[in-house]
């Protein structure tokens, strides 16, 4: 599903977070939002998600105006930097929660729930970890559970806010390759926030370089010359 942002402006009480954003993201594309802390990446992502509503401008999904719709109605999946897993629930139950939260499986038959969660855990290569608790997993494994939970709702759009930010360099590099492979298989339109140039260049189809609430440059890793 394509995303079109036109003339998006967003102000917090004492800060302009988005100062006129025009951006079209193609269906199936993996786009990185790259830029220093405070440039507006998270606010832009939350605006796409329907967690923030812009002061001006329109958000369209596949040509349909969703500016006034909340997150639930936009059919998006999120993964955030800090693991938002429930520590008292198993991996299985964490992923099942992703299904239940939208009411799709309000009273699921156990067999159906097991099949669906099993598929998602297969996708993130954690099937044998279903009965474990988050504390028994590595940081990278926990983020893969978070991803499985986000994908549980079969989102049209996947939004990732520094999902590997808390992990060490080697794990980050592994997960980057892994996410790239996953995206090549499922082709869900994805927007990825990072302040790490290498991560953006390696992972994304295109990179939007942000500064002070604007997009300064946009292009593929071959066409951008911001690399030092
Ligand atoms: P980034 O994700 O690139 O670090 P943010 O979108 O979080 O940038 O922030 C953009 C600007 O808006 C910054 O100046 C930040 O301090 C400000 N800001 C972000 N969230 C809030 C908030 N909840 N209240 C007030 N100002 C905020
Ligand atoms: P991120 O790491 O995604 O940029 P932060 O850790 O900066 O997020 O912010 C965490 C939360 O605090 C977010 O919900 C954000 O909206 C809010 N926030 C960020 N900057 C400010 C600010 N200057 N004033 C108030 N809230 C803020």
């Amino acid at each position: 599903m394509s995303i079109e942002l036109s003339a998006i402006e967003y102000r917090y009480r004492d800060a302009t977070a988005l100062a006129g954003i025009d951006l079209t993201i193609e269906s199936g594309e993996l786009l990185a939002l790259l830029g220093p802390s405070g440039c507006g990446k998270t606010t832009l992502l939350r605006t796409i998600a329907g967690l923030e509503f812009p002061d001006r401008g329109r958000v369209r999904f596949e040509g349909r105006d969703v500016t006034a719709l909340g997150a639930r109605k936009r059919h998006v999946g999120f993964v955030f930097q800090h693991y938002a897993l429930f520590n008292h629930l198993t991996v299985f139950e964490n992923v099942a929660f992703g299904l239940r939260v939208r009411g799709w499986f309000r009273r699921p038959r156990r067999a159906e729930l097991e099949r669906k969660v099993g598929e998602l855990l297969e996708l993130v290569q954690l099937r044998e970890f279903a009965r474990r608790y988050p504390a028994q997993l590595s940081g990278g494994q926990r983020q893969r559970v978070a991803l499985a939970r986000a994908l549980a709702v079969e989102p049209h759009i996947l939004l990732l806010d520094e999902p590997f930010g808390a992990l060490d360099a080697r794990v980050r590099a592994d997960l980057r390759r892994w996410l790239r492979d996953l995206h090549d298989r499922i082709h869900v339109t994805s927007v990825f926030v990072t302040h790490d140039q290498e991560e953006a260049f390696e992972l994304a189809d295109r990179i939007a370089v942000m500064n002070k609430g604007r997009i300064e440059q946009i292009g593929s890793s071959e066409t951008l010359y911001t690399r030092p």
Side-chain angles (χ1 to χ4, degrees):
M1 181 164 278
S2 66
I3 303 169
E4 299 115 65
L5 305 172
S6 48
I8 299 285
E9 294 179 23
Y10 189 100
R11 269 192 71 79
Y12 293 101
R13 199 152 43 85
D14 53 1
T16 297
L18 302 174
I21 298 283
D22 292 291
L23 175 62
T24 299
I25 304 165
E26 304 297 335
S27 185
E29 187 174 19
L30 201 173
L31 181 102
L33 297 176
L34 174 70
S37 182
C39 73
K41 305 182 296 295
T42 294
T43 305
L44 186 56
L45 199 75
R46 292 173 61 86
T47 302
I48 297 171
L51 296 168
E52 305 285 354
F53 298 95
D55 301 320
R56 293 220 169 77
R58 312 308 301 173
V59 180
R60 293 187 181 82
F61 289 175
E62 206 66 45
R64 172 172 171 246
D65 194 324
V66 298
T67 314
L69 294 186
R72 274 168 191 276
K73 298 216 167 117
R74 291 195 191 186
H75 218 72
V76 294
F78 322 101
V79 182
F80 296 119
Q81 173 172 6
H82 304 289
Y83 322 115
L85 298 182
F86 300 110
N87 288 322
H88 63 291
L89 297 180
T90 63
V91 167
F92 180 97
E93 291 297 338
N94 266 281
V95 176
F97 178 86
L99 296 167
R100 291 193 177 112
V101 75
R102 298 285 175 107
W104 286 17
F105 283 79
R106 207 177 296 277
R107 245 175 278 122
R109 274 180 288 123
R110 191 72 197 173
E112 176 145 22
L113 189 68
E114 299 239 339
R115 184 187 57 76
K116 184 72 185 167
V117 173
E119 270 174 27
L120 288 159
L121 289 178
E122 189 75 51
L123 192 66
V124 299
Q125 295 162 319
L126 285 174
R127 196 154 202 162
E128 64 276 32
F129 294 85
R131 305 291 153 200
R132 293 213 197 174
Y133 288 87
Q136 299 169 300
L137 302 179
S138 71
Q141 289 169 338
R142 285 199 287 262
Q143 281 307 60
R144 277 152 52 196
V145 177
L147 197 58
R149 194 178 59 186
L151 292 172
V153 297
E154 295 176 16
H156 298 313
I157 292 168
L158 183 63
L159 303 173
L160 308 110
D161 192 354
E162 304 244 7
F164 311 144
L167 305 172
D168 72 46
R170 195 182 54 78
V171 178
R172 287 176 79 110
D174 287 348
L175 274 185
R176 219 183 273 159
R177 270 190 297 276
W178 178 88
L179 182 63
R180 184 68 241 179
D181 288 348
L182 179 68
H183 186 268
D184 290 345
R185 277 185 282 142
I186 64 177
H187 282 297
V188 60
T189 308
S190 304
V191 185
F192 181 93
V193 163
T194 184
H195 60 261
D196 180 337
Q197 247 187 57
E198 194 184 321
E199 194 151 283
F201 276 87
E202 219 176 276
L203 194 55
D205 298 318
R206 276 192 313 156
I207 299 155
V209 182
M210 291 185 69
N211 192 26
K212 296 182 178 154
R214 298 178 195 281
I215 293 174
E216 288 204 320
Q217 296 184 66
I218 184 160
S220 67
S221 56
E222 292 79 35
T223 60
L224 283 178
Y225 291 99
T226 52
R227 202 163 211 179

